[in-house]
Amino acid sequence: EEEVFLSVQMPHGWKEGSTISPHIHIAYQSTSSAVMRWGLEYTKAKDGAVFPNTTTIYTSSTGQSAAYKHQLIVFPDISMTGDTLSSMLSFRLFRNSSHAEDTATSSAFVMEFDVHYENDALGSNVSSTK
């Protein structure tokens, strides 16, 4: 099992409280039809709030007919109800290779992690409100 830790601050153009969609961009190291299982553990808090216990969501990817082929892997959406500008999310992204669903014996390169989100402004007039 390999893992990486990352953090995201919600941008000021984000529509407060709207759902976000996390995903990763990967490439299998070799040709494969095997499955890799991915986990994303996270916690989130708005400014002034205490970070709660973590939640973990999972997704899977299937190998490609060509090594190093770019593949976008989507996780389930994350509800941001009640969150506001500058809300922070802390993530642990990992390959869940010990799970029975993960049948891949080769590695994958994780090239990038990001979240898609809904905008309702170009930014904010001040740091804490729109």
Side-chain angles (χ1 to χ4, degrees):
E1 310 249 337
E2 297 176 299
E3 61 189 8
V4 64
F5 295 87
L6 8 104
S7 296
V8 171
Q9 175 190 359
M10 293 309 297
H12 288 228
W14 165 64
K15 181 178 179 181
E16 292 178 297
S18 64
T19 300
I20 62 172
S21 303
H23 62 273
I24 55 176
H25 296 259
I26 69 164
Y28 277 68
Q29 187 177 19
S30 60
T31 302
S32 175
S33 60
V35 172
M36 287 188 185
R37 180 174 158 96
W38 301 94
L40 186 64
E41 181 180 12
Y42 69 92
T43 184
K44 61 187 179 71
K46 62 185 178 184
D47 185 32
V50 174
F51 283 93
N53 290 336
T54 60
T55 299
T56 304
I57 53 179
Y58 295 93
T59 193
S60 296
S61 62
T62 302
Q64 297 289 318
S65 58
Y68 306 110
K69 185 175 181 179
H70 178 203
Q71 194 175 3
L72 182 117
I73 309 301
V74 179
F75 284 93
D77 288 347
I78 296 174
S79 171
M80 298 292 287
T81 301
D83 289 291
T84 57
L85 295 183
S86 294
S87 286
M88 291 293 300
L89 294 101
S90 290
F91 295 99
R92 178 177 74 99
L93 171 66
F94 62 99
R95 179 173 165 198
N96 192 201
S97 61
S98 63
H99 192 276
E101 183 181 331
D102 189 308
T103 59
T105 57
S106 66
S107 296
F109 296 101
V110 177
M111 295 175 280
E112 202 258 350
F113 167 85
D114 66 283
V115 295
H116 287 178
Y117 57 89
E118 185 178 354
N119 272 347
D120 66 354
L122 293 176
S124 61
N125 293 327
V126 294
S127 62
S128 59
T129 60
K130 288 192 181 186

